[in-house]
C-alpha cells in the first residue's frame, strides 16, 4: 500500500504513531510524508505592497523573509518525520509542495498513486 501522510506543525511523531497504529504497516508499504507550505498567507501579505504602508522594497523584503522562514520550517518538519519513519523501519519518501493545501494534497496523491491519505489534522489525541 502507498500511504500519503500529511505532516505539519507540532506533534509530528505522535501523529505518525497514530497513523501506524490505526492503519498498520505492511512489509511492502511505502509511506509518503507530505508537507505543504500554504501560500495563502503569502498571497495576503503580498497585498500589503499595494497599500500605503507596504509600498516599496520593505514589502518585498518582508515577503522574502516569510518565504525563507516557511521553507526552513518545512525542512525541519520533514526532518522530524524522516527521523521517526527511519527509526521505525518504515520505507518512505519525503515530499514538499507549495500551494493551497487542499489542492496540493490531492495533486500529490494522484501523482504518487496513493492508496490512502492520512490527514494529520483529522487525528484526535
Amino acid at each position: 500500500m502507498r500511504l500519503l501522510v500529511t505532516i505539519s506543525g507540532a506533534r509530528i511523531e505522535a501523529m505518525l504513531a497514530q497513523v501506524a497504529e490505526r492503519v498498520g504497516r505492511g512489509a511492502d508499504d511505502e509511506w509518503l510524508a507530505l508537507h505543504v507550505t500554504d501560500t495563502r498567507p503569502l498571497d495576503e501579505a503580498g497585498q500589503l505592497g499595494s497599500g500605503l504602508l507596504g509600498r516599496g522594497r520593505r514589502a518585498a523584503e518582508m515577503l522574502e523573509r516569510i518565504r525563507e522562514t516557511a521553507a526552513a520550517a518545512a525542512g525541519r518538519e520533514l526532518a522530524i518525520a524522516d527521523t521517526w519513519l527511519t527509526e521505525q523501519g518504515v520505507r518512505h519518501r519525503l515530499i514538499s509542495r507549495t500551494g493551497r493545501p487542499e489542492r496540493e494534497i490531492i495533486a500529490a496523491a494522484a501523482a504518487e498513486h496513493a492508496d490512502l491519505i492520512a490527514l494529520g489534522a483529522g487525528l484526535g489525541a
Side-chain angles (χ1 to χ4, degrees), residues 36-55:
V36 178
T37 299
D38 190 348
T39 57
R40 289 175 295 187
L42 284 172
D43 295 341
E44 292 170 6
Q47 298 299 320
L48 294 175
S50 63
L52 195 60
L53 297 175
R55 287 193 181 160

Side-chain angles (χ1 to χ4, degrees), residues 1-4 109 112-117:
M1 173 175 60
R2 185 170 279 174
L3 173 64
L4 181 73
E112 298 291 339
H113 306 287
D115 299 305
L116 183 65
I117 301 171

Side-chain angles (χ1 to χ4, degrees), residues 25-92:
R25 291 184 290 213
D28 294 332
D29 290 350
E30 179 181 27
W31 287 33
L32 308 166
L34 171 66
H35 181 279
V36 178
T37 299
D38 190 348
T39 57
R40 289 175 295 187
L42 284 172
D43 295 341
E44 292 170 6
Q47 298 299 320
L48 294 175
S50 63
L52 195 60
L53 297 175
R55 287 193 181 160
R57 195 168 29 134
R58 297 193 79 212
E61 290 171 1
M62 180 185 66
L63 285 174
E64 185 56 31
R65 282 196 306 269
I66 292 170
R67 282 189 191 95
E68 290 170 359
T69 301
R76 284 190 303 272
E77 292 176 8
L78 284 168
I80 291 168
D82 185 44
T83 298
W84 189 90
L85 291 164
T86 299
E87 288 173 354
Q88 301 301 312
V90 176
R91 188 167 62 101
H92 66 280

